[in-house]
Amino acid sequence: MSEEAQRLVQASRRRKCAGCGRQIVKGEYTLVRGRKAYCLKCASSIVSDPALSERIKLLLREKIDAYLS
Ligand SMILES: [Zn+2]
């Protein structure tokens, strides 16, 4: 099985996370692999690209900071 390309994009419409089933709202960052979309939390556990992984970790941290401020 070949590795499917993973891309980090901002959702252009509402989607459902293929991992946990959570609703991904428009404008939220999501990891797209093939035809599936994953929320950042699920993305952080399935991502295989180290650069993408770093970016996701940063985005998750920014999100937490936003909640706290
Ligand atoms: Zn998820």
Side-chain angles (χ1 to χ4, degrees), residues 17-22 38-43:
C17 173
C20 65
R22 198 175 66 78
Y38 297 85
C39 69
L40 288 181
K41 223 171 170 183
C42 293

Side-chain angles (χ1 to χ4, degrees), residues 2-55:
S2 69
E3 182 82 358
E4 280 185 282
Q6 300 176 334
R7 289 180 303 132
L8 190 65
V9 298
Q10 277 183 291
S12 54
R13 59 182 173 87
R14 268 201 327 181
R15 306 201 58 167
K16 202 171 170 186
C17 173
C20 65
R22 198 175 66 78
Q23 200 75 241
I24 297 162
V25 298
K26 191 178 167 184
E28 194 176 330
Y29 276 100
T30 172
L31 183 80
V32 175
R33 188 172 66 175
R35 297 182 59 183
K36 290 177 176 166
Y38 297 85
C39 69
L40 288 181
K41 223 171 170 183
C42 293
S44 67
S45 62
I46 63 157
V47 72
S48 50
D49 181 324
L52 265 184
S53 174
E54 272 308 303
R55 180 101 178 94

Side-chain angles (χ1 to χ4, degrees), residues 61-69:
R61 197 167 337 144
E62 275 170 23
K63 231 176 151 176
I64 292 163
D65 288 344
Y67 284 139
L68 293 177
S69 60

